Amino acid sequence: MQVRSSAVIYSGEMALFLHGLLDREFSEISVTVPSGYNASHLKTDNVQVHYALKETYELGVCEVGSSSGNMVRVYDKERCICNLIMERKKVEMQNFQTAMKEYMSLKDKRTSGLIEYAKKLGIRDEVMKYVEVLV
């Protein structure tokens, strides 16, 4: 998909799975594109398209290896957690809890980066509630 469209960044449960923060395979492919991008060619039964403001669209982009061995663009763990908190009402509770616990148990978590992203995304207070409880 990223070969056909360089604007695609894998996100949501798919990105959480690729980072090892979810133990169950994702049920659908989640991608993020910049606001205003024509994603009609991406919208199929198993692809969920999210739009991000151009100012925050590339915030936290990194590359990880997919299960097939290809390098793919995804949001880093901290951006994934921010997105998870923003979408918490749409995410299955078990996946939300698993991803949060897994992230908070990581030795290499970047809590300061998480808070910095949260500020830029306008969700600092929400993220701080979880950080204070889970750390």
Side-chain angles (χ1 to χ4, degrees):
M1 188 177 295
Q2 286 183 341
V3 171
R4 287 182 282 148
S5 179
S6 62
V8 167
I9 299 171
Y10 292 116
S11 56
E13 290 180 358
M14 181 176 180
L16 291 166
F17 177 79
L18 291 171
H19 282 300
L21 298 176
L22 283 181
D23 53 2
R24 296 189 310 175
E25 282 247 8
F26 44 90
S27 55
E28 62 186 3
I29 297 171
S30 294
V31 299
T32 300
V33 295
S35 293
Y37 180 81
N38 182 357
S40 59
H41 65 288
L42 299 173
K43 294 179 182 176
T44 64
D45 290 340
N46 67 336
V47 177
Q48 184 179 33
V49 178
H50 301 274
Y51 295 91
L53 296 174
K54 290 179 182 176
E55 303 82 50
T56 58
Y57 158 70
E58 290 196 357
L59 182 68
V61 173
C62 69
E63 285 192 343
V64 298
S66 70
S67 56
S68 59
N70 298 314
M71 295 303 287
V72 293
R73 289 176 6 117
V74 299
Y75 286 117
D76 64 14
K77 294 171 188 171
E78 288 71 26
R79 175 66 187 265
C80 285
I81 294 299
C82 285
N83 289 348
L84 182 66
I85 291 170
M86 286 190 295
E87 298 282 325
R88 68 188 172 281
K89 292 181 180 173
K90 298 177 184 175
V91 175
E92 189 177 315
M93 182 56 71
Q94 181 180 355
N95 286 347
F96 182 86
Q97 291 173 341
T98 299
M100 292 299 290
K101 287 178 187 175
E102 288 295 319
Y103 177 77
M104 292 302 174
S105 70
L106 292 174
K107 292 181 181 178
D108 67 338
K109 68 180 171 290
R110 296 182 315 110
T111 310
S112 61
L114 177 67
I115 294 167
E116 187 61 34
Y117 289 173
K119 284 180 193 174
K120 291 179 180 178
L121 295 167
I123 59 165
R124 183 187 179 282
D125 291 345
E126 286 299 310
V127 169
M128 288 306 296
K129 289 177 192 175
Y130 292 100
V131 170
E132 291 168 356
V133 170
L134 295 172
V135 169

mmCIF file of all heavy atoms in Angstrom, residues 22-44:
data_model
loop_
_atom_site.group_PDB
_atom_site.id
_atom_site.type_symbol
_atom_site.label_atom_id
_atom_site.label_comp_id
_atom_site.label_asym_id
_atom_site.label_seq_id
_atom_site.Cartn_x
_atom_site.Cartn_y
_atom_site.Cartn_z
ATOM 1 N N LEU A 22 0.459 -4.890 21.099
ATOM 2 C CA LEU A 22 -0.742 -5.732 21.070
ATOM 3 C C LEU A 22 -0.303 -7.129 20.674
ATOM 4 O O LEU A 22 0.546 -7.286 19.791
ATOM 5 C CB LEU A 22 -1.774 -5.228 20.056
ATOM 6 C CG LEU A 22 -2.622 -4.032 20.429
ATOM 7 C CD1 LEU A 22 -3.606 -3.707 19.306
ATOM 8 C CD2 LEU A 22 -3.370 -4.263 21.723
ATOM 9 N N ASP A 23 -0.897 -8.116 21.295
ATOM 10 C CA ASP A 23 -0.526 -9.492 20.981
ATOM 11 C C ASP A 23 -1.446 -10.148 19.960
ATOM 12 O O ASP A 23 -1.147 -11.207 19.448
ATOM 13 C CB ASP A 23 -0.468 -10.334 22.253
ATOM 14 C CG ASP A 23 -1.742 -10.254 23.081
ATOM 15 O OD1 ASP A 23 -2.695 -9.581 22.655
ATOM 16 O OD2 ASP A 23 -1.779 -10.861 24.168
ATOM 17 N N ARG A 24 -2.565 -9.495 19.672
ATOM 18 C CA ARG A 24 -3.494 -10.022 18.663
ATOM 19 C C ARG A 24 -3.298 -9.279 17.359
ATOM 20 O O ARG A 24 -3.077 -8.072 17.356
ATOM 21 C CB ARG A 24 -4.943 -9.832 19.101
ATOM 22 C CG ARG A 24 -5.301 -10.594 20.342
ATOM 23 C CD ARG A 24 -6.760 -10.566 20.635
ATOM 24 N NE ARG A 24 -7.332 -9.228 20.598
ATOM 25 C CZ ARG A 24 -8.613 -8.988 20.728
ATOM 26 N NH1 ARG A 24 -9.459 -9.966 20.895
ATOM 27 N NH2 ARG A 24 -9.075 -7.752 20.708
ATOM 28 N N GLU A 25 -3.394 -10.022 16.258
ATOM 29 C CA GLU A 25 -3.317 -9.370 14.942
ATOM 30 C C GLU A 25 -4.443 -8.363 14.810
ATOM 31 O O GLU A 25 -5.531 -8.565 15.350
ATOM 32 C CB GLU A 25 -3.433 -10.405 13.821
ATOM 33 C CG GLU A 25 -2.162 -11.165 13.599
ATOM 34 C CD GLU A 25 -1.520 -10.861 12.258
ATOM 35 O OE1 GLU A 25 -1.943 -9.951 11.529
ATOM 36 O OE2 GLU A 25 -0.559 -11.558 11.961
ATOM 37 N N PHE A 26 -4.199 -7.309 14.099
ATOM 38 C CA PHE A 26 -5.186 -6.266 13.854
ATOM 39 C C PHE A 26 -6.291 -6.794 12.957
ATOM 40 O O PHE A 26 -6.063 -7.649 12.108
ATOM 41 C CB PHE A 26 -4.520 -5.045 13.225
ATOM 42 C CG PHE A 26 -3.548 -5.403 12.129
ATOM 43 C CD1 PHE A 26 -3.967 -5.507 10.827
ATOM 44 C CD2 PHE A 26 -2.220 -5.663 12.422
ATOM 45 C CE1 PHE A 26 -3.096 -5.857 9.814
ATOM 46 C CE2 PHE A 26 -1.330 -6.013 11.417
ATOM 47 C CZ PHE A 26 -1.768 -6.105 10.110
ATOM 48 N N SER A 27 -7.500 -6.300 13.176
ATOM 49 C CA SER A 27 -8.645 -6.776 12.402
ATOM 50 C C SER A 27 -8.791 -6.049 11.069
ATOM 51 O O SER A 27 -9.403 -6.558 10.141
ATOM 52 C CB SER A 27 -9.931 -6.613 13.215
ATOM 53 O OG SER A 27 -10.075 -5.274 13.630
ATOM 54 N N GLU A 28 -8.245 -4.851 11.000
ATOM 55 C CA GLU A 28 -8.279 -4.092 9.753
ATOM 56 C C GLU A 28 -7.014 -3.253 9.652
ATOM 57 O O GLU A 28 -6.350 -2.995 10.646
ATOM 58 C CB GLU A 28 -9.523 -3.212 9.671
ATOM 59 C CG GLU A 28 -9.606 -2.158 10.747
ATOM 60 C CD GLU A 28 -10.929 -1.398 10.730
ATOM 61 O OE1 GLU A 28 -11.804 -1.720 9.922
ATOM 62 O OE2 GLU A 28 -11.062 -0.482 11.532
ATOM 63 N N ILE A 29 -6.693 -2.855 8.458
ATOM 64 C CA ILE A 29 -5.524 -2.011 8.235
ATOM 65 C C ILE A 29 -5.933 -0.572 8.515
ATOM 66 O O ILE A 29 -6.920 -0.092 7.970
ATOM 67 C CB ILE A 29 -5.019 -2.163 6.787
ATOM 68 C CG1 ILE A 29 -4.567 -3.603 6.548
ATOM 69 C CG2 ILE A 29 -3.899 -1.169 6.508
ATOM 70 C CD1 ILE A 29 -4.253 -3.917 5.100
ATOM 71 N N SER A 30 -5.188 0.091 9.399
ATOM 72 C CA SER A 30 -5.438 1.500 9.699
ATOM 73 C C SER A 30 -4.304 2.320 9.121
ATOM 74 O O SER A 30 -3.129 2.005 9.334
ATOM 75 C CB SER A 30 -5.500 1.733 11.207
ATOM 76 O OG SER A 30 -6.604 1.087 11.762
ATOM 77 N N VAL A 31 -4.668 3.358 8.396
ATOM 78 C CA VAL A 31 -3.669 4.253 7.821
ATOM 79 C C VAL A 31 -4.045 5.692 8.132
ATOM 80 O O VAL A 31 -5.220 6.004 8.347
ATOM 81 C CB VAL A 31 -3.523 4.063 6.295
ATOM 82 C CG1 VAL A 31 -3.083 2.643 5.955
ATOM 83 C CG2 VAL A 31 -4.793 4.420 5.562
ATOM 84 N N THR A 32 -3.042 6.534 8.167
ATOM 85 C CA THR A 32 -3.263 7.968 8.348
ATOM 86 C C THR A 32 -2.669 8.686 7.151
ATOM 87 O O THR A 32 -1.582 8.340 6.684
ATOM 88 C CB THR A 32 -2.621 8.465 9.658
ATOM 89 O OG1 THR A 32 -3.211 7.748 10.750
ATOM 90 C CG2 THR A 32 -2.838 9.957 9.857
ATOM 91 N N VAL A 33 -3.403 9.679 6.677
ATOM 92 C CA VAL A 33 -2.967 10.524 5.570
ATOM 93 C C VAL A 33 -3.196 11.978 5.980
ATOM 94 O O VAL A 33 -3.958 12.244 6.913
ATOM 95 C CB VAL A 33 -3.734 10.194 4.264
ATOM 96 C CG1 VAL A 33 -3.421 8.785 3.781
ATOM 97 C CG2 VAL A 33 -5.225 10.384 4.439
ATOM 98 N N PRO A 34 -2.547 12.929 5.301
ATOM 99 C CA PRO A 34 -2.770 14.330 5.673
ATOM 100 C C PRO A 34 -4.171 14.812 5.276
ATOM 101 O O PRO A 34 -4.750 14.325 4.300
ATOM 102 C CB PRO A 34 -1.688 15.084 4.897
ATOM 103 C CG PRO A 34 -1.286 14.181 3.792
ATOM 104 C CD PRO A 34 -1.543 12.787 4.246
ATOM 105 N N SER A 35 -4.697 15.744 6.050
ATOM 106 C CA SER A 35 -5.998 16.340 5.733
ATOM 107 C C SER A 35 -5.973 16.881 4.308
ATOM 108 O O SER A 35 -4.975 17.440 3.862
ATOM 109 C CB SER A 35 -6.315 17.486 6.688
ATOM 110 O OG SER A 35 -6.500 16.994 7.971
ATOM 111 N N GLY A 36 -7.053 16.679 3.601
ATOM 112 C CA GLY A 36 -7.147 17.144 2.227
ATOM 113 C C GLY A 36 -6.673 16.132 1.208
ATOM 114 O O GLY A 36 -6.882 16.314 0.010
ATOM 115 N N TYR A 37 -6.041 15.060 1.643
ATOM 116 C CA TYR A 37 -5.551 14.027 0.736
ATOM 117 C C TYR A 37 -6.734 13.207 0.227
ATOM 118 O O TYR A 37 -7.597 12.810 1.000
ATOM 119 C CB TYR A 37 -4.559 13.120 1.478
ATOM 120 C CG TYR A 37 -3.978 12.017 0.647
ATOM 121 C CD1 TYR A 37 -2.910 12.258 -0.209
ATOM 122 C CD2 TYR A 37 -4.501 10.728 0.707
ATOM 123 C CE1 TYR A 37 -2.369 11.233 -0.978
ATOM 124 C CE2 TYR A 37 -3.966 9.706 -0.058
ATOM 125 C CZ TYR A 37 -2.907 9.970 -0.896
ATOM 126 O OH TYR A 37 -2.376 8.957 -1.655
ATOM 127 N N ASN A 38 -6.778 12.955 -1.061
ATOM 128 C CA ASN A 38 -7.844 12.152 -1.648
ATOM 129 C C ASN A 38 -7.512 10.672 -1.439
ATOM 130 O O ASN A 38 -6.699 10.104 -2.160
ATOM 131 C CB ASN A 38 -7.997 12.456 -3.135
ATOM 132 C CG ASN A 38 -9.121 11.666 -3.767
ATOM 133 O OD1 ASN A 38 -9.763 10.845 -3.130
ATOM 134 N ND2 ASN A 38 -9.353 11.931 -5.041
ATOM 135 N N ALA A 39 -8.160 10.071 -0.465
ATOM 136 C CA ALA A 39 -7.877 8.683 -0.110
ATOM 137 C C ALA A 39 -8.946 7.721 -0.602
ATOM 138 O O ALA A 39 -9.031 6.595 -0.121
ATOM 139 C CB ALA A 39 -7.731 8.579 1.404
ATOM 140 N N SER A 40 -9.739 8.135 -1.565
ATOM 141 C CA SER A 40 -10.827 7.275 -2.037
ATOM 142 C C SER A 40 -10.310 5.939 -2.569
ATOM 143 O O SER A 40 -10.983 4.916 -2.421
ATOM 144 C CB SER A 40 -11.657 7.983 -3.100
ATOM 145 O OG SER A 40 -10.852 8.356 -4.204
ATOM 146 N N HIS A 41 -9.119 5.934 -3.141
ATOM 147 C CA HIS A 41 -8.557 4.686 -3.670
ATOM 148 C C HIS A 41 -8.085 3.745 -2.557
ATOM 149 O O HIS A 41 -7.836 2.574 -2.795
ATOM 150 C CB HIS A 41 -7.395 4.992 -4.625
ATOM 151 C CG HIS A 41 -6.217 5.640 -3.963
ATOM 152 N ND1 HIS A 41 -6.244 6.947 -3.521
ATOM 153 C CD2 HIS A 41 -5.002 5.157 -3.637
ATOM 154 C CE1 HIS A 41 -5.073 7.253 -2.982
ATOM 155 N NE2 HIS A 41 -4.306 6.179 -3.031
ATOM 156 N N LEU A 42 -7.971 4.247 -1.325
ATOM 157 C CA LEU A 42 -7.529 3.426 -0.205
ATOM 158 C C LEU A 42 -8.685 2.793 0.554
ATOM 159 O O LEU A 42 -8.501 1.804 1.260
ATOM 160 C CB LEU A 42 -6.718 4.273 0.791
ATOM 161 C CG LEU A 42 -5.445 4.916 0.272
ATOM 162 C CD1 LEU A 42 -4.866 5.858 1.316
ATOM 163 C CD2 LEU A 42 -4.434 3.850 -0.122
ATOM 164 N N LYS A 43 -9.844 3.387 0.434
ATOM 165 C CA LYS A 43 -10.990 2.949 1.233
ATOM 166 C C LYS A 43 -11.586 1.665 0.658
ATOM 167 O O LYS A 43 -12.259 1.667 -0.352
ATOM 168 C CB LYS A 43 -12.044 4.048 1.298
ATOM 169 C CG LYS A 43 -11.550 5.268 2.050
ATOM 170 C CD LYS A 43 -12.583 6.361 2.085
ATOM 171 C CE LYS A 43 -12.017 7.577 2.798
ATOM 172 N NZ LYS A 43 -12.925 8.704 2.778
ATOM 173 N N THR A 44 -11.292 0.577 1.340
ATOM 174 C CA THR A 44 -11.870 -0.723 1.000
ATOM 175 C C THR A 44 -12.452 -1.309 2.277
ATOM 176 O O THR A 44 -12.410 -0.686 3.330
ATOM 177 C CB THR A 44 -10.808 -1.676 0.410
ATOM 178 O OG1 THR A 44 -9.826 -1.942 1.412
ATOM 179 C CG2 THR A 44 -10.145 -1.087 -0.826
#
